[in-house]
Amino acid sequence: GVSFEPLRRLLIQATDNLLLMGDYRSHEVLSRITEQLTNVVTLDEAARATMAQLEAALRPTFLSSILVAEDQLHQIGELPHGLSGQELVRVAREQTRPTLTVHLPRLEQAGAVLLSPLTVARAGQRQLLGVLVFGERRSGAAYSRYDLETVNGATDALSTAIERGRFYQEEILKNEFISVASHDLMTPIAAIRGYLSMLLDEGLGQMDPTARTYTERISRSVVYMHTLVLDLLNVSRIELNRVKVHLQVGNVVELAQMVCDDLSSLTQEKQVKLEVRSAKRVEAYFDPDRLREVLTNVVGNAIKFNKPSGIVTVRMSLVKGSVTIAVADSGLGIPKSELVHIGEKFFRASNVEAVHGSGLGMYIVKEYAKKMGGTVNIVSSLGRGTTVTILLPTSKRPPVKATA
């Protein structure tokens, strides 16, 4: 007998493309998928959220997903008898976009009408994350180009969410490791610093000049190591959202003076003059421990990256209802093209590579200021110096934004 099935499919395809079946709007479906994917964490949740929207729009007889993670397959939804996840993944590796199985009779006969691979680019290579498998539409209509574009947009969004989730989990594991390792390193470093202090104070007997020189070098290296480990520990706490702030009204002048006193040995070593210019009392709303770390970083940088016989000035004032702490130096300055990157993790200006540093200090400064409701503004002139301005609220209100 003569089969009219090809003609039926052609007519349905034509009317489908013309009318778009009128039962859903692609941009609304994709908008809902995108919105839902921003609020999910696990890969399973991401896949199910996407599948639910596609099922409501396309109404397939079945919709399943097979996710690939570390060569393991995770299936969501039932597959028709005779289909396996391994076979579908193998076929999906050869596809780049949603594909009808008209030319894949083995899959079509088993009931899989549409395959849509989930892929991302890693190191310049296409990586398969999984595949969505659709049965025929319950209406009996063929999938139109409009449907395929909708599915393509949905799988792109899901692929991005899966990759983002992978990076998120890796970042958590990395930060957990850094946190534990940094914390465990603090104890032996503290012990080494203690013994070195005893040696240099000659509490264990006199030292000859050569031994003292080498011991002082060791001591400086251990201080740098302590600073680096502390920075790593602080960054991991920030990334893991474990930084606790205890805000209170206090005198920033008193705190700034304490920080400057603590850095007096560094000013002598670098031959830099450090001045505090302010009224005796300027009150702000801040966390004393966090602000102390912020000022230690900023004033320490101003000294460290200064020139011999340079000057560092710390000014505090009340401006438009906010407290301004401005730390100005006469040092190396920052190249204009690099200024925008100051505060990014591990970034260091190209003209200070010879000076020890981790590139984490200003990242910590900006994050801590933000947690106290403050802002940080940096202006610099290459070869003439840098001014870092910290704005803090005087109460629970956010401060006025700093201007360049």
Side-chain angles (χ1 to χ4, degrees):
V2 179
S3 174
F4 290 97
E5 184 60 24
L7 180 59
R8 187 183 77 87
R9 288 189 178 184
L10 181 62
L11 289 172
I12 290 175
Q13 182 80 37
T15 55
D16 198 19
N17 288 335
L18 179 63
L19 302 176
L20 305 181
M21 297 309 292
D23 51 359
Y24 74 92
R25 295 181 182 276
S26 180
H27 70 277
E28 293 178 355
V29 174
L30 296 179
S31 177
R32 287 194 295 270
I33 289 174
T34 302
E35 182 179 355
Q36 290 183 352
L37 290 179
T38 60
N39 299 319
V40 299
V41 176
T42 68
L43 305 187
D44 188 88
E45 288 177 333
R48 291 183 186 278
T50 304
M51 291 166 63
Q53 291 297 326
L54 289 175
E55 281 184 314
L58 300 174
R59 294 191 288 278
T61 52
F62 76 88
L63 172 55
S64 302
S65 66
I66 295 93
L67 303 180
V68 182
E70 299 180 357
D71 296 326
Q72 298 292 318
L73 302 185
H74 173 54
Q75 180 178 319
I76 302 174
E78 296 294 326
L79 288 173
H81 180 70
L83 283 178
S84 69
Q86 290 88 345
E87 179 183 13
L88 292 166
V89 166
R90 185 172 63 252
V91 174
R93 291 188 191 281
E94 302 173 2
Q95 315 301 324
T96 58
R97 290 176 59 83
T99 303
L100 295 171
T101 60
V102 175
H103 303 296
L104 300 167
R106 158 81 188 92
L107 299 183
E108 187 180 34
Q109 290 171 9
V113 177
L114 172 62
L115 297 184
S116 187
L118 304 169
T119 61
V120 292
R122 291 180 187 167
Q125 299 291 322
R126 178 175 170 271
Q127 182 81 28
L128 184 72
L129 303 177
V131 58
L132 294 182
V133 189
F134 297 76
E136 65 178 359
R137 297 189 71 175
R138 295 184 186 277
S139 65
Y143 288 101
S144 67
R145 285 196 299 268
Y146 187 76
D147 297 331
L148 297 185
E149 289 302 322
T150 302
V151 172
N152 188 57
T155 51
D156 282 349
L158 177 55
S159 297
T160 301
I162 291 174
E163 189 72 346
R164 186 174 63 241
R166 185 180 70 87
F167 281 130
Y168 178 74
Q169 293 298 327
E170 288 179 356
E171 282 294 309
I172 288 178
L173 290 174
K174 181 184 71 176
N175 286 320
E176 287 282 6
F177 171 78
I178 292 174
S179 180
V180 172
S182 301
H183 186 271
D184 289 347
L185 281 170
M186 294 300 284
T187 300
I189 288 174
I192 294 170
R193 292 185 69 181
Y195 285 122
L196 286 171
S197 178
M198 292 173 64
L199 288 171
L200 291 171
D201 291 343
E202 298 187 339
L204 300 176
Q206 288 190 339
M207 300 177 67
D208 63 70
T210 302
R212 174 171 286 277
T213 298
Y214 287 129
T215 304
E216 287 175 345
R217 290 180 184 174
I218 295 170
S219 181
R220 284 194 293 270
S221 295
V222 172
V223 169
Y224 170 67
M225 185 186 299
H226 175 267
T227 302
L228 175 59
V229 171
L230 188 59
D231 282 349
L232 288 170
L233 184 59
N234 284 333
V235 168
S236 70
R237 286 171 177 164
I238 291 169
E239 297 291 324
L240 293 169
N241 199 27
R242 292 178 181 171
V243 176
K244 296 180 179 179
V245 293
H246 303 285
L247 300 173
Q248 61 189 58
V249 175
N251 184 9
V252 293
V253 179
E254 183 180 350
L255 183 59
Q257 188 62 63
M258 290 170 59
V259 168
C260 291
D261 291 344
D262 291 342
L263 293 171
S264 59
S265 60
L266 182 61
T267 60
Q268 293 172 12
E269 178 186 334
K270 296 290 183 178
Q271 300 177 19
V272 171
K273 183 180 180 181
L274 176 59
E275 298 178 341
V276 177
R277 296 182 181 177
S278 173
K280 290 185 178 180
R281 188 170 187 86
V282 177
E283 289 193 343
Y285 190 64
F286 62 95
D287 179 312
D289 292 334
R290 299 288 85 84
L291 184 58
R292 188 180 189 118
E293 291 182 69
V294 165
L295 292 177
T296 298
N297 260 305
V298 174
V299 178
N301 283 345
I303 299 170
K304 187 166 60 173
F305 299 120
N306 217 313
K307 304 169 184 175
S309 302
I311 298 174
V312 176
T313 305
V314 183
R315 290 184 172 88
M316 281 146 288
S317 58
L318 189 63
V319 179
K320 295 181 180 179
S322 298
V323 171
T324 298
I325 306 173
V327 180
D329 66 63
S330 58
L332 304 176
I334 302 166
K336 186 176 180 180
S337 62
E338 299 177 10
L339 194 58
V340 68
H341 299 294
I342 300 298
E344 295 177 4
K345 281 188 294 186
F346 301 108
F347 179 82
R348 303 190 74 221
S350 57
N351 60 332
V352 299
E353 291 177 352
V355 184
H356 279 308
S358 64
L360 295 173
M362 286 307 297
Y363 170 78
I364 294 169
V365 165
K366 288 191 172 184
E367 289 296 320
Y368 280 2
K370 189 189 304 180
K371 288 185 179 294
M372 291 186 288
T375 61
V376 178
N377 183 59
I378 306 171
V379 293
S380 187
S381 177
L382 190 60
R384 299 181 63 181
T386 301
T387 299
V388 178
T389 303
I390 303 158
L391 261 70
L392 295 172
T394 55
S395 62
K396 295 183 180 181
R397 299 192 315 273
V400 177
K401 188 176 181 179
T403 55

